[in-house]
Amino acid sequence: MTHSSIVETQPNSSEHGKELAELFQEDNGKYSTMRAMSFIALIAAIVFGAITITSKDSEGKYITTAFLVAAFAPKAVQKYAERM
């Protein structure tokens, strides 16, 4: 005897997921790829910073600085350009 059933799943309505998605929204409600890119660059800076601290190589500080600039400068320039 074979038994087949369709498993219905409810959409994930996790509050954590909604809060994370709201992090990438602009004031007008649209999702911002600039914010997503800045967030990724910030995570990369944290990772490279941790690698730099734990290694004896001092060249990592340049990569970490570049990722920090990439995380914050584009959004600041965008806000300035929107105001002009």
Side-chain angles (χ1 to χ4, degrees):
M1 179 169 142
T2 61
H3 179 75
S4 65
S5 64
I6 298 174
V7 177
E8 294 182 20
T9 59
Q10 298 294 326
N12 187 1
S13 62
S14 170
E15 290 297 321
H16 178 67
K18 288 181 183 177
E19 290 173 2
L20 185 61
E22 289 174 0
L23 175 70
F24 299 115
Q25 285 183 342
E26 293 285 341
D27 295 335
N28 60 6
K30 292 184 178 181
Y31 289 103
S32 171
T33 54
M34 181 69 73
R35 287 186 183 204
M37 182 182 66
S38 295
F39 183 74
I40 291 169
L42 180 62
I43 296 300
I46 291 169
V47 169
F48 277 107
I51 292 171
T52 301
I53 289 171
T54 59
S55 71
K56 295 179 181 180
D57 187 19
S58 65
E59 296 295 321
K61 64 182 175 184
Y62 301 117
I63 295 172
T64 303
T65 304
F67 275 118
L68 282 173
V69 169
F72 294 108
K75 188 64 182 168
V77 171
Q78 180 190 24
K79 286 288 187 184
Y80 177 74
E82 287 176 352
R83 289 183 186 162
M84 298 310 270

